[in-house]
Amino acid sequence: MASAPLAEDTTPLAAKGTTETAEPAADRRGGDGGGRGRRQGGGRSGSRGWRRVLRWTAVVVAVAVLGAAGAGYLYYRHLNGNIKQDDLNLGDSKVAEPTPNAAGQTPLNILLIGSDARDTEANQKLGGARETFGSTPLADVQMLLHLSADRSNMSVVSMPRDTLLQIPKCTDPDDGQVYPASDGRAMTNESLGHGGPGCTVATWQELTGIHIDHFIMVDFAGVVSMADAVGGVPVCVDANIHSRDSQGHGSGLKLEKGTHPVKGEQALQWLRTRYGFEDGSDLARAKAQHMYMSSMVRVLRENATLSSPNKLRRLAEEATRSLTVDPGLDTVKKLYDLSNELRKVEPERITMTTMPNRYVGSRVEPTEDAEQLFRLVRDDIALDGKDAKKKTDGEKLSDDPAAPDAEIAVQVRNGTRTDVLGPASGRATTVTGQLNELGFSSAVADGSTVLSEETTVVRYPSADLEGDAQAVAQSLGIPLSAVKRSTEVSGVTLVVGADWREDTAYEAPERDDKTPDTADILNGADDEACMHVNPAFTW
């Protein structure tokens, strides 16, 4: 979003709080715990005025990004005290931060979570389903917001709540309770009940290999209060719709054909609607959420509905009270700094997608196209296809000079195992021999473990070894874009990937950097999108 108040860049937040009408009790799976948030206070004096702090909050509404600097010591402390905090990652395994680009910039990944918690009177009234009152909350909306390293574009990836995957072992830092890894595959929305939002973050990282920097979580009441404070957001349906069937299932959304502004509880109904949109699946609901998010961004950019100090103050109150965040975002100042980053992206460079998937019974699982989408995000390649230059960003030689080849200690590992093929025998030994012949006499093969690595990669732990790692890559014809900094290794480490299962000469594979069509792409500037109404739910 551009140079106007940060409200413009906020879309994803409103949508993250979305969830659907309660499913039957048998369809709500989860363990004990979850849904806790610790109050976090703090404050700093400021002197830039009310208007800016309140304008700041407009951002949170659209993407959990607030846009203002200080506004007086007491009020600043008050807003900080509204914000709830929880740990970022409750899993054991960590994903290394991405390697900075030539300008020293790194991408920013934020997981937006919508909780279906029915833990307060307001949430119970909005969520219904009395049999679920006080039960373990579910992460029924999960969206990854990826801001590119150069801040030129933004990608949003939604994961359906009933995606089957492995939930990793998570430990609740509050009481030390350990939630073992799921026995087989479980629905991704159950991760929230395994200690809190930090387990949902861990689950995403395990599946995607994407390093997540922050999370922002909101519940039913938060979505309604913020949507009401912001004002109407235009949405479109191609026929009259009433989301309610004969058994009482549905969000209750009732709209006439055409474009209408929705706010407050009606906005929540739109974001939760599954019965009535297209095939009645979570996939259709994700599409509706993307339309709402895009529209929210455009509304906040195009009009001055938040010019009133009273409206802005109300929005600031509602937004900060509705959020649970990680420690990296637990103050107004931190959220403001984040908003300054997000505001740099224009709607035309925002791409919204849904994780490619296929049905497994009534659930879904990721497909091969999903891994393609995750790779594009990991490699910081714009999903709108307008960043071809990014493919050569990684070819910059390090300023750190390489040591003599014979003095560079290299550990070589076999990473050729895939989902369908076993590891290629002896690859670490073969490639080590090739390095020795090239003069890297300190290279050794590590046969202790066999890994699964899609493409060959050279990893190094610290800046003083980057030049050494690049020298190893160049000697074998491996592109410098495959040289990655990682805290998971203690020295220069070459992992022979599934793209190099034979021969001693490496040939870099041609990569398709196009966003899969199965990702259901929506551009943030598309103001003509309209949801298709299932004929069984029209009137």
Side-chain angles (χ1 to χ4, degrees):
M1 313 149 211
S3 54
L6 188 52
E8 330 166 316
D9 324 345
T10 62
T11 305
L13 179 53
K16 9 175 243 352
T18 70
T19 63
E20 139 99 330
T21 298
E23 298 289 340
D27 209 24
R28 293 174 47 81
R29 303 157 52 190
D32 299 334
R36 326 91 51 243
R38 294 181 289 282
R39 292 280 177 179
Q40 182 74 12
R44 258 163 50 167
S45 60
S47 59
R48 300 190 186 177
W50 275 82
R51 185 82 171 267
R52 191 130 178 230
V53 153
L54 298 173
R55 179 180 295 274
W56 172 97
T57 322
V59 179
V60 172
V61 176
V63 99
V65 183
L66 307 164
Y73 180 72
L74 292 179
Y75 192 65
Y76 180 82
R77 282 184 60 93
H78 167 72
L79 290 178
N80 283 346
N82 284 346
I83 302 171
K84 296 179 287 295
Q85 173 201 311
D86 226 320
D87 287 67
L88 174 62
N89 189 340
L90 303 183
D92 291 337
S93 63
K94 310 298 179 185
V95 174
E97 295 184 20
T99 302
N101 64 13
Q105 303 165 301
T106 54
L108 191 61
N109 295 305
I110 306 164
L111 186 62
L112 309 175
I113 303 171
S115 166
D116 80 338
R118 290 163 171 82
D119 52 355
T120 67
E121 183 177 347
N123 282 330
Q124 290 170 2
K125 179 180 178 181
L126 292 166
R130 291 182 177 276
E131 70 276 9
T132 66
F133 287 6
S135 63
T136 302
L138 302 173
D140 270 359
V141 175
Q142 300 175 32
M143 296 184 182
L144 180 69
L145 185 155
H146 171 84
L147 181 63
S148 65
D150 64 6
R151 304 312 190 242
S152 68
N153 65 88
M154 186 184 300
S155 305
V156 177
V157 179
S158 290
M159 185 188 297
R161 66 173 183 174
D162 56 1
T163 298
L164 295 175
L165 44 64
Q166 183 82 24
I167 298 177
K169 171 186 172 184
C170 292
T171 303
D172 189 331
D174 284 347
D175 56 15
Q177 181 173 353
V178 177
Y179 296 84
S182 58
D183 183 13
R185 295 193 300 178
M187 283 168 49
T188 183
N189 64 353
E190 296 176 24
S191 59
L192 184 60
H194 289 220
C199 193
T200 305
V201 169
T203 301
W204 267 78
Q205 290 198 158
E206 286 277 331
L207 176 68
T208 67
I210 298 169
H211 175 81
I212 294 178
D213 301 281
H214 301 291
F215 75 79
I216 301 171
M217 184 172 72
V218 71
D219 58 16
F220 290 148
V223 175
V224 170
S225 60
M226 289 191 292
D228 197 42
V230 168
V233 173
V235 295
C236 176
V237 287
D238 66 1
N240 297 347
I241 181 175
H242 187 201
S243 178
R244 187 73 71 198
D245 67 9
S246 58
Q247 284 76 46
H249 298 132
S251 70
L253 178 71
K254 190 172 186 178
L255 288 174
E256 294 182 357
K257 177 181 178 180
T259 300
H260 309 276
V262 295
K263 62 179 180 178
E265 187 170 354
Q266 193 174 47
L268 177 64
Q269 290 174 337
W270 174 274
L271 295 165
R272 295 174 64 200
T273 293
R274 180 161 66 89
Y275 293 93
F277 285 154
E278 299 188 351
D279 63 354
S281 69
D282 279 342
L283 308 180
R285 178 170 57 183
K287 181 184 294 186
Q289 291 168 356
H290 292 164
M291 289 183 185
Y292 180 93
M293 291 164 59
S294 298
S295 183
M296 172 76 84
V297 171
R298 295 192 298 272
V299 165
L300 292 172
R301 292 176 64 89
E302 294 168 1
N303 64 45
T305 57
L306 294 175
S307 59
S308 163
N310 286 335
K311 288 183 178 180
L312 289 171
R313 180 175 59 186
R314 179 185 176 195
L315 180 55
E317 291 284 351
E318 300 295 354
T320 53
R321 276 204 302 262
S322 301
L323 300 180
T324 300
V325 299
D326 66 273
L329 294 178
D330 63 357
T331 68
V332 170
K333 174 62 167 62
K334 292 174 182 177
L335 287 166
Y336 173 61
D337 290 343
L338 175 60
S339 76
N340 279 339
E341 296 297 291
L342 293 172
R343 70 189 301 172
K344 298 173 183 177
V345 182
E346 298 284 348
E348 294 78 14
R349 296 303 312 278
I350 299 174
T351 306
M352 298 185 182
T353 63
T354 299
M355 179 195 78
N357 59 84
R358 56 176 161 255
Y359 279 103
V360 181
S362 61
R363 312 300 181 197
V364 300
E365 65 181 6
T367 63
E368 294 74 15
D369 281 355
E371 173 51 34
Q372 165 79 345
L373 185 65
F374 298 151
R375 180 184 67 79
L376 295 178
V377 174
R378 287 196 302 267
D379 292 350
D380 196 27
I381 296 173
L383 299 187
D384 61 7
K386 297 179 180 179
D387 267 346
K389 66 181 186 339
K390 285 257 179 81
K391 297 178 183 177
T392 59
D393 279 353
E395 300 302 317
K396 178 180 180 293
L397 281 172
S398 171
D399 294 330
D400 171 56
D405 293 351
E407 298 178 11
I408 299 176
V410 187
Q411 190 175 75
V412 183
R413 296 177 177 173
N414 187 343
T416 58
R417 181 172 54 198
T418 72
D419 291 340
V420 296
L421 295 174
S425 177
R427 291 306 293 156
T429 300
T430 299
V431 175
T432 298
Q434 177 68 5
L435 280 171
N436 292 159
E437 289 184 14
L438 293 170
F440 292 86
S441 55
S442 296
V444 296
D446 176 9
S448 61
T449 57
V450 176
L451 308 175
S452 296
E453 199 76 47
E454 181 182 359
T455 57
T456 298
V457 62
V458 181
R459 296 191 172 98
Y460 63 96
S462 55
D464 61 319
L465 292 177
E466 182 180 21
D468 293 355
Q470 289 187 343
V472 170
Q474 287 183 309
S475 72
L476 294 169
I478 298 170
L480 295 187
S481 57
V483 178
K484 308 286 187 181
R485 184 169 177 173
S486 170
T487 57
E488 299 298 307
V489 297
S490 58
V492 177
T493 303
L494 166 62
V495 182
V496 183
D499 60 339
W500 195 10
R501 292 178 61 88
E502 57 186 23
D503 298 331
T504 55
Y506 178 75
E507 294 185 11
E510 293 250 349
R511 296 200 313 182
D512 177 11
D513 287 338
K514 180 179 180 295
T515 302
D517 292 337
T518 52
D520 203 8
I521 302 166
L522 177 68
N523 183 271
D526 184 353
D527 59 1
E528 297 183 358
C530 200
M531 285 304 298
H532 173 62
V533 175
N534 186 316
F537 289 86
T538 192
W539 53 279

